[in-house]
Amino acid sequence: MGRRGGAGAVVLVVLAGLLALVPGAASAAGPVHCATQDLQARLNSAQPGATILVDGTCDGPFTVGKNVTIRGNPTATLDGGQAGTTLAVNTPHVVHLEHLVVTGGWSTNGVGGGVSVGGGKLFLDHVTVRDNVSIAGAAGIQACGGGVRGLDGAEIHIAHSSIIDNTARTTQPNPSGAFGGGICTTDQGSLTVAGSKILRNRASMVAASGPAHAGGAGITALDVHLTITSSSVDDNVASADGSPVHIDGAGIWNPSVHVPTVTTMTASFVRRNHANAHSSSGEVDVFGGGINGDTVTATDSTFLDNDLHGRADGGFAQVEGGGVWAGTVTFTNSAVRGSNLHAVGGFSAQVHGGAIWSDQKVTVTGSTFADDHMVASGTGTGPSAGASGLGGAISSGALAVITGSTFTSNSVRTTASQAGATADGGAVDGTGQLRLVRSTLSGNTATAASQGNDSAFAAGGGAEAGDVTLTSTTVDSNQAIATTAADDASATAGGVFAHGQLRVTASTLSGNHVQAASHGATIASATSGAFEAGGAGHIVNSTVAGNSADAVADTGVGEARAFAGALFGADNAVTFESSTVVRNSVAGRGHTVTAAGGGLVTGFGTITLTSTILALNTAPSEPDCAGIDSGGHNLVGTTAGCGFTKKPTDKVNIANPQLGPLHMNGGHTRTIALLVGSPALDWIPAAQCGVAADQRGVHRPQGPRCDVGAYERKP
């Protein structure tokens, strides 16, 4: 027993000696009690890799020149006393900060207020960085990283931490700027944020003369890959005043200068970030309420109530991307709600992308866009003055592919006090291709108003793009509205406007409305309540119901023109196959009124119907159609004024086609059922059905012959 006891004592002595040699063994030295002990002295004398425990509040600032862990015991505060960066790691090392508060930093040389790390690796775990400041104390220095600053390719990891109420600001002239009130890291490093809060940080620049640039009030990561997981970036503010003015990202700025960057966000929130830019004489650009980046990928994340304002008293104001402004954007099971974009230009104003702005590709799956609103107000005169807006939710410059997503109550509204106003795409606008699959556009609005002696134009209350493809999609209760005080007002396509080709399959367009109103001695023109194609159009197995076009010219000599409650075929060939076009309408009010074609109207192109129901539409003249061709096996309510050449297989002048209401009868979209006794039942020989299934996916035929329209009735 005695020998065993002696051996055990030797072992304990040996272990104690080993512990003294192990890097990071906190028990080798007691905690630093900041009230009576010098933390900087302990940092200077510590072995590389050591862990230093800290009690109380330690007055700094401090510098670190080795690999070290500083841990609160259990918590502690490092206070810079506004005498410099609270904790500076000036050379590349691996530094861990744990269970600490870092505060009171005040940097005037652009290297960060709270924590600054030059290269190496920085880990924050259960750390609060708050109330630190980075200012540009001299011309040409950028205020960057009020809370945390990474330089020389630093690798920064932030977990279970809070970056709160930090500031980057400057009043120095360019090439100065203010970026990353919370975090600023550069030089091709990396930044990961997990389970953390980036909250109430500010980046601001005021230039008495010359340009002003600010951005990324929460996070700025230049040439840095940024990963955010289970975190929030909330209530950060970027502001700038100068001539001209530029703001990049109210919440996050992740730009690519030397290398491509990717912002990856998972299960996170970006909320209530705000950008405010003002110029008394120059141009104003504000890009990105939540994130401004190169490539942005968001999964299971939410962008909520981000707010962008740009005002150019005598020039051009441009505001874009309420949630995200980027080249390539991918959204999966994510949402953007309540974005607010407002541009005011003394000459002209533009707003683009209430939720997302992209000049490359947008891919959206299973996501929601709701209550995103854009307003542009231009007060200048001349051909380039006025106001314009594109895409109440999404503005895409190349390709937008949207699957299983909803767009509800988004809007773009433009007002020009003395010049022209345009508004396109209440929910989605694209200069390239737009593909919507199993998605819904509902209650979105594009509104343009000219209060002076110029025109107003609105198009695509739901969507407007180059080539448009709708598959199993609902476009419901959207509006395009144009109003003028003294000049022409023109509104086109309450639902969807395609500048190029339009392809619609197994989709429903219902309750959409287009309205033009001129309050001067001019023309108000409203066309295509549901949709319009500038190029070729092919509509198959689809329902177009309850859409309307309305024109108002309320002076003694004004002219109101309203055409096509459903579709106006302007210049190219449009075909309808196995579709149902019913209960659409046009109306006009004015000194001179031309209102015709409650359903379909042909302009300089052609519209051809095959196996389609066209009935119960209303208009002062030509209630169902004007200038329509037959491909056979159609049911037409009335051919009065239609110019319809009947084929032997057509049924025409059917007063009551026995149709049900628009209803969910199965499938992805609402349809109109054929009631018992409908003349559309069992009319098409099986060999000539054309398509193998109806709009709901029900196989054709369900009896010996196929039914006319988008609905195949089961026995």
Side-chain angles (χ1 to χ4, degrees), residues 534-627:
H538 186 202
I539 295 88
V540 59
N541 260 347
S542 294
T543 299
V544 187
N547 305 283
S548 58
D550 182 28
V552 178
D554 57 7
T555 65
V557 293
E559 181 179 356
R561 301 174 180 174
F563 300 100
L567 176 140
F568 180 76
D571 299 307
N572 290 280
V574 179
T575 62
F576 284 79
E577 182 178 4
S578 299
S579 293
T580 300
V581 183
V582 299
R583 301 177 182 131
N584 304 286
S585 64
V586 297
R589 301 186 302 279
H591 177 267
T592 302
V593 176
T594 305
L600 305 174
V601 177
T602 300
F604 297 103
T606 60
I607 298 178
T608 302
L609 309 184
T610 302
S611 305
T612 290
I613 298 174
L614 177 64
L616 305 179
N617 302 288
T618 58
S621 64
E622 302 155 356
D624 276 321
C625 50

Side-chain angles (χ1 to χ4, degrees), residues 27-107:
S27 60
V32 176
H33 301 287
C34 288
T36 59
Q37 295 176 298
D38 187 346
L39 175 58
Q40 185 64 61
R42 181 66 64 86
L43 289 169
N44 294 341
S45 63
Q47 294 293 318
T51 295
I52 301 174
L53 297 182
V54 181
D55 286 336
T57 298
C58 303
D59 294 327
F62 305 97
T63 60
V64 175
K66 62 192 68 174
N67 297 348
V68 69
T69 296
I70 305 174
R71 179 183 300 154
N73 184 32
T75 60
T77 297
L78 308 184
D79 191 334
Q82 298 185 348
T85 302
T86 298
L87 182 70
V89 185
N90 297 323
T91 52
H93 293 289
V94 179
V95 176
H96 292 256
L97 304 181
E98 301 173 1
H99 299 280
L100 296 169
V101 175
V102 180
T103 190
W106 187 282
S107 168

Side-chain angles (χ1 to χ4, degrees), residues 480-495:
I481 301 171
T483 305
T484 60
D487 206 336
D488 293 347
S490 179
T492 300

